[in-house]
Amino acid sequence: MPKIINVNNTADLPTWQKELAEAVKNPQQLLEILEIEQENDLISQLARKQFPMLVPMPFVKKMQKGNINDPLLKQVLPISDEELTVKGFTTDPLVEQNNQQQGLLHKYKSRVLLILKTGCAVNCRYCFRRHFPYAENSINKSELTNIIAYIQNNPDVNEVILSGGDPLMTKDKQLFELFDQLEALPQLTRLRIHTRLPVVIPSRITQGLVTRLQKSRFNIVLVLHINHQQEIDADFASAMQRCHQAGIHLLNQSVLLKGVNDHASQLVALSEALFSVNILPYYLFLLDKVQGAAHFDIDEIDAQKLHNAMQVELPGYLVPRLSREIAGQQSKTLIHSL
């Protein structure tokens, strides 16, 4: 979970850290801000205790006041449905919790995933790592040295994926030091950063970060996580424009979520909105069957129908690949059209 910052001592912090410190953590407070009366038994204190709510104000401001069914609100509000025990839904759906190298997952031959930070700026209720033992996978400088050595000793690895948590929870100074270490490994050609932070706190895309990524010898790929067109606003568009002008490749991956984006019109609008800010749709995932998120699940047949409808409405380059991740497989599993 993110380190709690004292909101009374934020004067000297960068804007994004101030906004993180001021994130909403109380469900009742969030509903009050949105002028929504709480429905009986809607909010689950148990779910909140097991997986705390965390929602930065820039993301809250994108939500519709008075709408309990707002697609952004549904992604972050802990509700009683999370308490249900559903067959087939587990705490470790991708079997990631027994990795041999602390802070590193090596599931695919040419890529390694580095769990750089153990917290996010927003706690999405459908997160497949909501039960992940981050405390056991946090890394210090010594462990990072071991990770660098592991990569060096595996010459087939040519790409590092920064993940978490959210890797952009790392301060710029520490990020730049890591970039220096990775760039010293000649086998590496690409650096991929998976992040939701620019969506919920656009000010995280600092000019210093953009400049450093532009100077890197790597091909830089920034993979955003956006599920609904409403998440794309002017501040986010401005941040992506700076990245685009710096030559950073921008991709998006979404998760199909019941009640959030399970209509073809919503998915088409998302792809169009993404492309308007220079982001290419990349993956459209079926939900990973994580305990506490079964109420978001969409049947595979229904997902295929939605994907078919997208292909009718959109050019091929705006249709993300419908996929799911299966534990133990050496690649994503594509789901083909009906």
Side-chain angles (χ1 to χ4, degrees), residues 15-21 23 56-59 62 121 169 196-205:
T15 299
W16 72 271
Q17 287 185 265
K18 293 178 185 178
E19 291 175 322
L20 177 62
M57 280 304 299
F59 196 63
K62 300 179 187 184
M169 292 282 282
R196 188 145 163 78
L197 219 159
V199 182
V200 299
I201 303 181
S203 62
R204 177 62 189 95
I205 302 299

Side-chain angles (χ1 to χ4, degrees), residues 30-203:
L30 177 58
L31 293 181
E32 288 173 7
I33 292 170
L34 296 173
E35 300 174 6
I36 296 172
E37 291 188 14
Q38 182 183 341
E39 299 178 9
N40 290 336
D41 302 322
L42 173 66
I43 293 174
S44 168
Q45 296 301 330
L46 176 61
R48 179 190 176 194
K49 181 179 180 181
Q50 293 173 338
F51 187 45
M53 193 190 85
L54 185 72
V55 193
M57 280 304 299
F59 196 63
V60 175
K61 290 176 181 177
K62 300 179 187 184
M63 299 175 186
Q64 302 165 356
K65 287 190 175 181
N67 183 8
I68 191 63
N69 293 313
D70 178 84
L72 277 58
L73 176 61
K74 283 197 166 188
Q75 295 179 57
V76 299
L77 190 69
I79 62 173
S80 56
D81 285 346
E82 295 181 36
E83 299 178 21
L84 299 175
T85 299
V86 179
K87 184 179 180 180
F89 285 76
T90 71
T91 58
D92 188 16
L94 302 185
V95 192
E96 292 184 326
Q97 297 180 18
N98 293 314
N99 52 306
Q100 295 179 341
Q101 182 77 30
Q102 183 163 339
L104 194 75
L105 299 176
H106 192 178
K107 296 192 289 186
Y108 308 135
K109 180 179 178 181
S110 64
R111 289 95 73 201
V112 293
L113 186 147
L114 199 169
I115 300 175
L116 187 59
K117 275 291 180 179
T118 58
C120 292
V122 63
N123 284 345
C124 301
R125 309 312 301 178
Y126 53 87
C127 180
F128 69 93
R129 290 193 184 128
R130 59 180 288 163
H131 304 285
F132 191 79
Y134 283 116
E136 300 170 18
N137 283 274
S138 61
I139 56 174
N140 55 32
K141 286 188 176 182
S142 174
E143 287 151 350
L144 184 57
T145 298
N146 293 337
I147 287 172
I148 297 296
Y150 178 92
I151 297 171
Q152 192 170 23
N153 292 330
N154 285 268
D156 286 340
V157 173
N158 61 16
E159 179 176 6
V160 171
I161 303 167
L162 301 185
S163 184
D166 194 310
L168 290 190
M169 292 282 282
T170 310
K171 298 174 184 177
D172 281 356
K173 182 176 183 294
Q174 284 75 36
L175 270 180
F176 299 168
E177 290 173 356
L178 174 62
F179 296 163
D180 291 342
Q181 290 178 281
L182 294 175
E183 287 169 346
L185 302 179
Q187 74 201 70
L188 298 178
T189 60
R190 292 185 300 275
L191 178 67
R192 198 190 324 170
I193 303 171
H194 282 237
T195 180
R196 188 145 163 78
L197 219 159
V199 182
V200 299
I201 303 181
S203 62

